[in-house]
Amino acid sequence: MDNQAKARDKSAVVKTRPLANDDAKWVTLVETTYTDPEGIKRTWESAERLTRPKGCDIDGVGVAAILQDPAKPNDEPRILLQKQYRPPINQTVIEVPAGLVDPDETAEMCAIRELKEETGYVGELVKDKSFDVSPVMFNDPGFCNTNLRMVHVTVDLSRPENQNPKPQLEENEFIETFSVPLKKLWDICRNFEKEGYAIDARVGSLAEGIEFARRWKLA
């Protein structure tokens, strides 16, 4: 077992405590007063990120990265996934590479940077401009304003820099990167859940979409 896997297996919540807004660095709680469709005034409690760059319309990106080898055009496409422990749910989560946008950074720039930092792979946007970046997606709009764009990337395995990729993780990051066949993602997610992993909504939604397309013969 590698060091990343060992660290992941040892991770566990030690304690939790209430956190005052003044002590929070990353998020805050707000109460919003609004009027409903009948003009009745109501309130809503929610969370907001404190990290969105000024003038930016998103907090971060998710990266759907497909591995491709030009020398093997008939091979099944594989998608890059990660295992990462997440303290809020006290579980290791199956995720796509992702990260927060830096000031003056586009979604596309952020995706290529995060992919390189977290996995070591150098990717490029898919060529079809109608499919390279998704619309803005809100993770849980009934609870928080957090949002992102999915960026669709290909990784050319024949490039020298992708022969032996080396992640550039921060000291508090313990991420295990792996790949799976894209068309089997639904069954793979179900198996991971049985093994005790949590499934990130972006991975689950992608898997469900692929399974919908298969069952209803949409492609």
Side-chain angles (χ1 to χ4, degrees):
M1 182 182 292
D2 61 29
N3 289 336
Q4 290 177 341
K6 289 179 181 177
R8 185 189 72 245
D9 290 344
K10 293 180 180 179
S11 299
V13 170
V14 176
K15 66 176 182 179
T16 62
R17 65 178 179 88
L19 182 66
N21 269 7
D22 290 344
D23 296 330
K25 298 179 180 179
W26 305 100
V27 296
T28 187
L29 295 176
V30 297
E31 181 183 78
T32 300
T33 301
Y34 69 102
T35 55
D36 70 14
E38 296 179 345
I40 298 174
K41 188 176 291 186
R42 303 183 185 275
T43 59
W44 196 286
E45 295 178 1
S46 62
E48 291 185 356
R49 275 193 180 274
L50 300 175
T51 55
R52 186 179 300 178
K54 185 177 181 180
C56 188
D57 64 347
I58 55 173
D59 294 301
V61 300
V63 187
I66 305 301
L67 303 179
Q68 296 181 328
D69 186 343
K72 302 175 182 178
N74 296 321
D75 278 6
E76 277 189 42
R78 300 179 69 87
I79 185 169
L80 274 181
L81 297 179
Q82 298 178 333
K83 295 177 182 178
Q84 185 169 191
Y85 175 77
R86 295 297 190 178
I89 62 172
N90 194 25
Q91 282 183 273
T92 297
V93 184
I94 305 301
E95 307 175 338
V96 292
L100 298 177
V101 176
D102 286 341
D104 301 318
E105 189 175 48
T106 65
E108 295 90 332
M109 293 164 58
C110 180
I112 298 301
R113 173 181 60 77
E114 287 288 351
L115 182 68
K116 181 68 165 64
E117 291 175 359
E118 292 191 354
T119 74
Y121 283 109
V122 175
E124 57 184 25
L125 297 179
V126 299
K127 303 300 184 184
D128 186 347
K129 290 300 181 182
S130 69
F131 187 64
D132 54 356
V133 181
S134 79
V136 176
M137 300 179 180
F138 290 84
N139 300 3
D140 189 354
F143 170 68
C144 63
N145 70 337
T146 300
N147 65 8
L148 79 158
R149 291 183 188 272
M150 289 296 294
V151 182
H152 309 137
V153 172
T154 57
V155 175
D156 184 345
L157 295 177
S158 69
R159 292 174 60 169
E161 57 267 42
N162 290 329
Q163 299 299 306
N164 187 28
K166 299 291 186 183
Q168 301 160 7
L169 300 177
E170 298 179 13
E171 59 89 19
N172 65 339
E173 288 185 312
F174 301 91
I175 300 173
E176 179 184 344
T177 298
F178 62 102
S179 67
V180 300
L182 186 59
K183 74 176 185 180
K184 297 179 182 178
L185 190 55
W186 175 256
D187 289 334
I188 289 168
C189 285
R190 287 169 58 87
N191 288 334
F192 271 128
E193 184 182 45
K194 292 176 183 176
E195 295 173 9
Y197 292 93
I199 308 300
D200 182 271
R202 285 159 287 192
V203 175
S205 295
L206 178 59
E208 190 174 15
I210 294 169
E211 186 67 5
F212 263 99
R214 184 185 72 81
R215 289 175 180 260
W216 274 271
K217 298 179 174 56
L218 301 180

